[in-house]
């Protein structure tokens, strides 16, 4: 479970963002702006980020506040799982990223796999929809839903992309150092269950 201070900061930010979207009264707007600044202060106090950066990345959005969606592709080959080496932190993750406006989850995962691993793929089935707050990820300011989609390679070859520096398949008992912001060892072990039990039902947090 995520830290209470992070949960409170995100909830305050969500209330402020939604309030600023619909508020008409000048005094209500001031109150919501004060709430937004309070959420920035909480994050700045508990993290090493500057208030300016927090305002831009966390408190700079508009419209009704909703969770972000992270989509990850799951590909098995010879009892191993496909991972890509992330340039950002030098660790390994399932290919994927934020959902894109205008694309379906299947289209997003196919695009991300191609861009990050070089493989052409097709989406087969949804395996899990997880709320990031229930899993052992590092703290972050966003409320994130993670979708894991089983895919099948249809062509292409292993090739690093703009955001990745390596591509590989790994056995369950020989996983590399993982980018825990993107996926945890526990999540990968859960996904391996689908390799051995394809009939396993979708996991929904």
């Amino acid at each position: 479970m995520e830290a209470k201070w992070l949960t409170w900061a995100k909830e305050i930010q969500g209330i402020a963002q939604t309030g600023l979207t619909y508020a008409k009264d000048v005094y209500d707007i001031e109150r919501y702006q004060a709430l937004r600044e309070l959420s920035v202060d909480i994050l700045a106090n508990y993290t090493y980020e500057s208030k300016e950066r927090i305002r831009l990345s966390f408190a700079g959005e508009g419209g009704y506040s909703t969770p972000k969606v992270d989509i990850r592709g799951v590909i098995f080959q010879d009892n191993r799982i496909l991972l890509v080496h992330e340039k950002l932190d030098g660790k390994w993750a399932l290919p994927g990223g934020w959902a894109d406006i205008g694309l379906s989850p299947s289209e997003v995962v196919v695009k991300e796999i191609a861009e990050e691993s070089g493989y052409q793929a097709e989406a087969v089935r949804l395996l899990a929809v997880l709320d990031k707050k229930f899993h052992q990820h590092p703290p972050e300011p966003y409320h994130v839903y993670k979708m894991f989609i089983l895919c099948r390679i249809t062509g292409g070859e292993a090739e690093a992309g703009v955001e990745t520096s390596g591509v590989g398949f790994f056995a369950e008992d020989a996983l590399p150092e993982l980018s825990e912001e993107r996926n945890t060892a526990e999540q990968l072990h859960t996904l391996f269950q689908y390799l051995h039990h394809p009939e396993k039902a979708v996991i929904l947090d």
Side-chain angles (χ1 to χ4, degrees):
M1 299 293 288
E2 69 182 12
K4 281 292 186 181
W5 63 265
L6 182 56
T7 299
W8 294 332
K10 292 194 290 188
E11 289 179 357
I12 292 170
Q13 156 59 16
I15 292 168
Q17 180 176 320
T18 301
L20 287 170
T21 299
Y22 297 108
K24 303 298 182 184
D25 182 84
V26 63
Y27 298 108
D28 286 340
I29 292 173
E30 287 180 354
R31 294 185 187 100
Y32 287 125
Q33 288 173 336
L35 278 176
R36 170 168 277 182
E37 192 62 23
L38 177 60
S39 71
V40 171
D41 287 342
I42 292 172
L43 280 179
N45 184 70
Y46 284 97
T47 68
Y48 296 103
E49 296 293 345
S50 67
K51 287 187 177 181
E52 290 72 20
R53 183 169 180 179
I54 292 171
R55 288 190 188 98
L56 287 173
S57 64
F58 171 54
E61 297 186 5
Y64 188 87
S65 181
T66 62
K68 290 183 174 291
V69 179
D70 177 34
I71 299 178
R72 297 284 153 180
V74 181
I75 294 178
F76 294 111
Q77 187 176 87
D78 300 326
N79 294 318
R80 298 177 297 166
I81 197 167
L82 174 66
L83 299 176
V84 294
H85 195 241
E86 297 283 348
K87 288 182 179 179
L88 193 60
D89 62 8
K91 301 175 184 178
W92 293 81
L94 297 166
W98 295 125
D100 294 309
I101 300 297
L103 297 181
S104 71
S106 294
E107 291 172 325
V108 170
V109 76
V110 166
K111 176 181 75 72
E112 292 288 340
I113 290 170
E115 291 177 353
E116 296 187 356
S117 75
Y119 289 111
Q120 302 300 312
E122 62 180 0
V124 176
R125 62 166 293 206
L126 178 67
L127 300 182
V129 179
L130 305 181
D131 188 324
K132 205 169 180 180
K133 71 179 181 182
F134 293 130
H135 302 268
Q136 298 301 311
H137 295 280
E140 69 172 320
Y142 303 112
H143 191 162
V144 180
Y145 293 163
K146 296 182 67 63
M147 299 178 65
F148 296 88
I149 299 175
L150 181 66
C151 297
R152 179 188 300 115
I153 291 176
T154 59
E157 59 184 17
E159 182 178 0
V162 174
E163 298 178 354
T164 58
S165 59
V167 181
F169 285 89
F170 298 87
E172 184 175 7
D173 60 357
L175 295 175
E177 186 177 11
L178 298 175
S179 176
E180 293 187 343
E181 180 181 341
R182 296 165 177 81
N183 42 224
T184 67
E186 180 184 7
Q187 288 167 349
L188 293 192
H189 291 312
T190 297
L191 295 172
F192 266 100
Q193 295 177 18
Y194 288 96
L195 176 63
H196 308 299
H197 303 284
E199 74 287 355
K200 182 177 173 66
V202 172
I203 298 173
L204 179 64
D205 274 342

